[in-house]
Amino acid sequence: MDDRVTGAESEGLSAEDYATLCDFLRERTGLSFTEAKRYFVDRRVASRIQAVGAAGLRAYLNLLRFQASGEELQRLVNLMTVNETYFFREKYQFDCLVNSALDELVRGRPKGSRLRIWSAGCATGEEPYSIAIMLLEHWKRVDDYEIELLASDIDSAVLDRAREGVYDERALQGLPAHLRAKYFQPWRGAAEGGGPRWRIVEELRESVEFSLVNIADPQQARAFRGIDVIFCRNLLIYFDDLGRREAAGMFHDALAPGGFVCLGHSESMSRMSSLFVPRRFPDAILYQKPADGGAQ
């Protein structure tokens, strides 16, 4: 084994190497890793350097930059992302969607027109499936419109799990028993901790279109246009200030005039961009793209 690999595993990356790697990851993914995340990053990068047999970080970075398939970069991204979520997380924002935002969005629209909702950073799928359940259970006009549920993540492994739709007790902890019985079926095989698992019904699995998307990549982001509501909760906390501003600009371009962005409870669009108008609804604060498409 190359001595530099052993050093990377036992002592971690040098300050210069760590900065180089973080700059690369920020440029390619938008994710920002500070000094506080150094141990987390060190271990994961060292494991991949060893796995591919690279002669240290420089050789590994060359692989990430120039590998035509992009497979190794995807493997590293999958290791670097944290996917902590569960059904009905921060439910008050889903309540805002079905109690206020959607009714405002469809005002004046004819029946049968399209509504597009995008869960950006969907992880293992609990968020878009929660949206689907809320629409079916609580929005009386759900059958009057053609609703597209889009969901994306930069991590290909969690997207596979989202499409499979199998969850353990922890993911379902916030779900009322009658909704679990209605929308989930017992699944063969226990979870890692030995507990039972459930699979979301086929109708809901087919209602969400999952795709691999890096929101920091302008070319990939351009695929999303005419969106009415974007859920991007607790993702931009992993970006630096510049990355958050760029993401806000991308969301502005993706939204239809009058569309809404829903952020995590600790996030505020006012710290990122002046392109949106804060809207205080009874259940939550959302951020709206002005109807004229510009800032107010």
Side-chain angles (χ1 to χ4, degrees):
M1 183 183 295
D2 188 279
D3 289 341
R4 286 168 292 180
V5 176
T6 304
E9 290 179 307
S10 61
E11 299 177 5
L13 303 173
S14 69
E16 181 180 356
D17 285 347
Y18 184 72
T20 299
L21 176 66
C22 289
D23 287 346
F24 172 81
L25 290 173
R26 192 263 173 234
E27 178 187 345
R28 291 296 183 92
T29 70
L31 300 174
S32 177
F33 295 98
T34 64
E35 188 65 26
K37 290 284 188 180
R38 186 164 176 171
Y39 180 74
F40 172 88
V41 173
D42 276 350
R43 289 180 61 84
R44 282 153 180 79
V45 171
S47 71
R48 292 311 308 163
I49 289 175
Q50 183 178 19
V52 300
L57 181 67
R58 180 174 298 180
Y60 184 63
L61 282 174
N62 284 336
L63 174 64
L64 295 178
R65 287 190 177 102
F66 302 117
Q67 185 183 45
S69 66
E71 291 179 7
E72 182 55 31
L73 178 58
Q74 187 63 61
R75 290 191 185 98
L76 182 62
V77 166
N78 291 358
L79 284 176
M80 292 294 192
T81 50
V82 178
N83 303 288
E84 183 76 16
T85 187
Y86 47 86
F87 280 87
F88 284 14
R89 184 180 184 182
E90 299 175 15
K91 181 177 177 291
Y92 61 90
Q93 294 174 327
F94 300 135
D95 291 334
C96 184
L97 177 72
V98 297
N99 293 335
S100 303
L102 289 179
D103 287 337
E104 179 171 318
L105 285 168
V106 301
R107 194 173 297 142
R109 294 193 193 185
K111 288 185 177 181
S113 58
R114 186 175 64 172
L115 272 171
R116 308 188 82 200
I117 302 173
W118 176 21
S119 169
C122 68
T124 43
E126 287 92 332
E127 180 174 89
Y129 289 139
S130 293
I131 294 170
I133 293 171
M134 288 294 294
L135 291 172
L136 291 170
E137 292 292 315
H138 299 289
W139 196 45
K140 295 179 180 180
R141 307 180 71 181
V142 65
D143 293 325
D144 292 341
Y145 297 92
E146 179 187 344
I147 300 174
E148 292 185 7
L149 291 179
L150 311 174
S152 68
D153 204 278
I154 197 173
D155 185 333
S156 60
V158 297
L159 286 172
D160 289 340
R161 291 169 57 192
R163 294 185 184 101
E164 185 182 30
V166 176
Y167 301 97
D168 61 15
E169 182 66 38
R170 187 181 180 286
L172 300 181
Q173 63 184 337
L175 200 66
H178 72 282
L179 295 182
R180 181 183 301 199
K182 185 173 182 178
Y183 293 109
F184 292 81
Q185 300 169 335
W187 185 246
R188 61 183 182 275
E192 288 184 10
R197 296 192 297 171
W198 292 265
R199 190 178 197 188
I200 200 160
V201 296
E202 183 178 6
E203 178 187 1
L204 261 67
R205 296 200 309 274
E206 293 181 349
S207 72
V208 181
E209 180 183 336
F210 291 99
S211 56
L212 183 67
V213 174
N214 174 6
I215 66 169
D217 183 331
Q219 184 173 353
Q220 294 184 32
R222 275 195 290 271
F224 293 84
R225 289 293 184 269
I227 305 296
D228 292 291
V229 183
I230 298 173
F231 280 80
C232 184
R233 306 189 301 171
N234 308 307
L235 170 60
L236 299 183
I237 59 175
Y238 299 104
F239 286 33
D240 60 16
D241 288 343
L242 176 59
R244 284 189 280 269
R245 288 195 297 272
E246 291 173 343
M250 182 274 292
F251 289 150
H252 184 269
D253 291 342
L255 282 171
F260 294 102
V261 174
C262 181
L263 299 176
H265 73 278
S266 65
E267 300 170 299
S268 172
M269 184 65 78
S270 62
R271 301 189 193 123
M272 307 178 200
S273 172
S274 61
L275 293 171
F276 297 87
V277 177
R279 292 290 308 280
R280 186 178 295 275
F281 292 103
D283 297 300
I285 296 175
L286 304 184
Y287 299 92
Q288 188 172 33
K289 177 177 178 175
D292 62 7
Q296 290 184 348

